[in-house]
Amino acid sequence: MKKFDAIVIGSGMGGMSCAASLALFGKKVLVVEQHYVAGGMTHTFKRKNFEWDVGVHALGEMGPNRLPGKLVQWLSQNKLKMNAYGFPYETFFFPEKEKFEYPNDKEGFKKNLIERFPKEEKSIEKYFNIINEVGKLAKVHFSSRLLPSFIEGLISPLAKRKFHYWSDKTVAEVLDELFVDSKLKSILSGQWGYYGAAPSKASFFIHAITTRHFWEGAYYPEGTSKKIAETFLGSVVDNGGEVLLKTRVDELIWEKSRVVGVKTNQGEYHAPLVISAIGAKATVNRLLPSEYKKQKWVSEINELEQSPSHLCLYLGFEGDIKPLGATESNQWWCETWDFENTFWDLEKDEAPILYTSFPSLKDPEHVTTDKQGQTLHTGEVVTFVKYEDFKNWEGTKVGRRGDDYKAFKKSIEQKMMAQITKHLPELMKKCVYHELSTPLSTTHYCEAPQGAIYGLLPTPKRWRTKALRPKTPIKGFYMTGADIGTLGVVGALIGGVLTAASIDKRVAKKFMGK
């Protein structure tokens, strides 16, 4: 049996970044993935001549002077190139044909807002100052998670008081304190889709770091998002580690009260460190023995809400799509100004919001041609739904969910096709392929509880929960990923490096930007 220094369960962004961080400082790491392809929400899939990514649409702070960008280059050993896509990187379409563009620089964003809402100029200036201040507090919060829990408790009243002042407030509370114009508040909270919570539920902290995250625009990986797994896991393999696919962890291996390995469908593997990258709730509910379920830290995690589930309509186009309404810019089609209405009532014909991305316009390597030389492009349309709408088919297998599910899914797909065609009628004439994924797909391929796209919901309570730490109370057992960092691909990246930093002080210096 091969000896490993660490075992990482799950190859999503958090698992990959954690494994690569440890590997680059000399540890032999085994990455265990239940899916037949690595990458989690960064993987891609193909149908005919088309290829889609499943979760990478916009990455912020990928510039050479930003910590996430520096970490990506280190973890990939400079083999992953990030392409910045131009102005604007985001476009919102509101009712009554109102439109707002998000430019790829902070001052341009502020200027657009002041020109649109001149009466709110002083409040807009104050808002940008607050966003900057709260964004800087992120390092205070995450750095404290590297400390032993009893020491973090001692510093919290001092260093973290300001952090919790803002994290305890919701987005709606702060925007209501600052602004009068309801449309301005909707524009500022429009990117709630990147963290999955309505303004009245989301902590202002997640809103602030998301807004600040995109102040310099957005990036997309050259060669599609699958290059993330190729380069990060390449760093693992190049340093003596291994990646096992189609390998499901059934239980942990224990020596007294310490975790020393994993039992899988492919056999047993041992290491002094075991790191779960499958999400906090899945970790405590699926991997821990029953006697741990009543422990306080486990109960704290289970009391937190999951983020919403989603639908994604994958589109394939033939021909030039740019003159027909497709853009590098992500498009948000809003049927309402009210972002408290986050879920689609599937009995209605239209979703309250459709998020549309065209990866083949963001990455020159993404564009392909068929045998006849016809240019092929891809698009993705995303909206949020309640997992309860799909609970009747929970536990069923892909392709074996019955005729009632097929009919239900077809009805949803037809509605989404009609809605996006309403907004982009000329473009949709070029659509030659479409396929819908549901929350059941997320559960099956990523083992996400309730099909949650972002892990735990970013409520104020989440940022008060001390159980969301890299090092668990169990010896030799750690957690990583978005639930330890923040939401989304870059949030999971930070979570992965944070966990590695709690294990190896040399990684901690990288995390601190040194």
Side-chain angles (χ1 to χ4, degrees):
M1 183 176 292
K2 292 183 179 180
K3 291 184 178 180
F4 295 97
D5 298 310
I7 297 171
V8 175
I9 306 169
S11 71
M13 188 57 152
M16 292 190 294
S17 59
C18 182
S21 296
L22 295 173
L24 288 168
F25 280 113
K27 287 184 171 56
K28 291 184 178 181
V29 184
L30 174 66
V31 179
V32 182
E33 170 58 51
Q34 60 90 28
H35 193 14
Y36 55 78
V37 61
M41 293 299 285
T42 72
H43 83 269
T44 64
F45 73 97
K46 289 184 177 181
R47 295 287 189 270
K48 298 182 179 180
N49 294 316
F50 297 104
E51 183 175 8
W52 295 270
D53 56 41
V54 298
V56 178
H57 305 113
L59 304 176
E61 296 184 273
M62 288 293 115
N65 297 320
R66 293 287 177 258
L67 178 60
K70 290 178 181 179
L71 291 175
V72 164
Q73 293 312 310
W74 174 57
L75 294 170
S76 70
Q77 293 294 277
N78 298 310
K79 294 175 184 175
L80 180 61
K81 183 180 178 182
M82 290 289 182
N83 287 328
Y85 51 96
F87 171 87
Y89 75 92
E90 207 103 286
T91 305
F92 279 79
F93 297 90
F94 290 101
E96 292 85 45
K97 296 184 178 181
E98 291 198 44
K99 182 174 82 169
F100 187 85
E101 295 179 333
Y102 276 58
N104 53 0
D105 70 282
K106 179 181 71 172
E107 293 305 318
F109 182 26
K110 186 193 300 184
K111 181 173 178 287
N112 284 3
L113 289 169
I114 292 172
E115 287 178 354
R116 184 80 172 268
F117 304 98
K119 293 181 180 179
E120 304 262 25
E121 181 174 358
K122 288 185 178 179
S123 295
I124 291 170
E125 292 281 1
K126 185 177 180 180
Y127 170 81
F128 274 77
N129 290 334
I130 291 172
I131 292 290
N132 196 43
E133 176 187 346
V134 177
K136 291 179 179 179
L137 293 173
K139 189 170 281 191
V140 172
H141 172 71
F142 292 119
S143 297
S144 71
R145 292 289 157 108
L146 297 175
L147 300 170
S149 57
F150 71 94
I151 295 179
E152 182 187 7
L154 293 175
I155 70 163
S156 289
L158 300 173
K160 294 184 73 173
R161 184 179 298 158
K162 188 176 288 187
F163 170 81
H164 284 305
Y165 174 82
W166 293 109
S167 71
D168 287 346
K169 292 176 178 285
T170 67
V171 177
E173 286 172 340
V174 175
L175 296 185
D176 286 345
E177 289 172 8
L178 288 172
F179 303 111
V180 175
D181 196 295
S182 60
K183 288 185 176 181
L184 173 57
K185 287 186 276 189
S186 292
I187 288 171
L188 292 175
S189 61
Q191 290 178 312
W192 67 268
Y194 285 131
Y195 47 81
S200 64
K201 296 201 74 170
S203 165
F204 185 73
F205 169 65
I206 191 64
H207 171 80
I209 62 173
T210 300
T211 300
R212 197 169 181 264
H213 183 63
F214 291 115
W215 269 355
E216 295 175 357
Y219 295 74
Y220 184 84
E222 188 172 290
T224 76
S225 59
K226 69 183 178 185
K227 290 291 184 180
I228 298 174
E230 289 179 12
T231 56
F232 282 27
L233 296 179
S235 295
V236 173
V237 174
D238 289 346
N239 288 277
E242 291 187 23
V243 180
L244 298 181
L245 303 178
K246 295 189 285 187
T247 305
R248 178 183 171 84
V249 173
D250 296 318
E251 58 182 290
L252 303 173
I253 299 174
W254 299 75
E255 282 186 4
K256 296 182 179 180
S257 59
R258 184 183 184 92
V259 174
V260 295
V262 296
K263 291 182 180 179
T264 78
N265 60 328
Q266 305 292 342
E268 293 187 6
Y269 302 92
H270 293 254
L273 299 171
V274 176
I275 303 153
S276 174
I278 63 174
K281 281 199 171 185
T283 296
V284 299
N285 293 321
R286 193 166 77 73
L287 297 180
L288 296 187
S290 57
E291 58 263 32
Y292 284 87
K293 301 296 172 65
K294 294 182 181 179
Q295 291 190 1
K296 183 181 178 182
W297 71 281
V298 174
S299 298
E300 282 185 12
I301 288 172
N302 277 325
E303 287 171 2
L304 298 173
E305 296 178 69
Q306 286 289 91
S307 62
S309 52
H310 75 294
L311 301 168
C312 186
L313 181 63
Y314 296 96
L315 304 175
F317 302 95
E318 285 184 350
D320 187 5
I321 62 174
K322 208 164 186 179
L324 306 176
T327 58
E328 293 178 17
S329 169
N330 301 311
Q331 301 176 355
W332 302 71
W333 299 96
C334 308
E335 308 296 344
T336 174
W337 287 90
D338 180 12
F339 288 144
E340 289 301 311
N341 184 19
T342 55
F343 295 105
W344 183 13
D345 179 351
L346 293 175
E347 292 186 359
K348 295 182 179 179
D349 290 336
E350 293 188 339
I353 188 170
L354 294 179
Y355 173 83
T356 308
S357 171
F358 301 97
S360 57
L361 295 182
K362 301 172 185 177
D363 172 24
E365 289 194 16
H366 205 304
V367 180
T368 57
T369 56
D370 60 18
K371 293 180 180 179
Q372 289 72 42
Q374 181 77 280
T375 302
L376 304 177
H377 286 277
T378 57
E380 294 136 14
V381 184
V382 179
T383 195
F384 296 95
V385 289
K386 293 182 179 178
Y387 181 73
E388 289 74 19
D389 291 333
F390 298 85
K391 204 167 178 61
N392 287 343
W393 300 280
E394 191 174 47
T396 58
K397 294 183 178 181
V398 174
R400 301 180 186 177
R401 295 192 170 121
D403 292 338
D404 55 343
Y405 176 75
K406 289 180 181 178
F408 181 57
K409 184 177 175 180
K410 184 177 180 180
S411 171
I412 297 169
E413 190 168 356
Q414 289 173 340
K415 289 178 181 180
M416 287 186 74
M417 286 291 289
Q419 188 174 357
I420 195 63
T421 299
K422 179 186 77 171
H423 294 298
L424 296 166
E426 294 304 312
L427 172 67
M428 292 304 290
K429 292 177 183 178
K430 295 283 188 179
C431 182
V432 295
Y433 185 89
H434 54 89
E435 181 177 340
L436 181 71
S437 74
T438 74
L440 301 179
S441 304
T442 310
T443 301
H444 175 78
Y445 292 110
C446 297
E447 292 206 340
Q450 300 177 12
I453 185 175
Y454 294 130
L456 296 171
L457 199 70
T459 59
K461 185 177 181 180
R462 169 182 168 153
W463 306 110
R464 282 280 185 178
T465 303
K466 293 181 180 180
L468 294 177
R469 302 172 53 81
K471 188 175 183 179
T472 75
I474 300 168
K475 291 179 181 179
F477 190 54
Y478 292 75
M479 294 191 296
T480 197
D483 289 346
I484 302 303
T486 62
L487 285 71
V489 172
V490 177
L493 164 80
I494 296 299
V497 178
L498 188 68
T499 299
S502 70
I503 295 169
D504 192 320
K505 291 181 180 179
R506 293 171 295 177
V507 182
K509 290 182 179 180
K510 287 281 185 181
F511 179 78
M512 297 301 292
K514 297 178 181 178

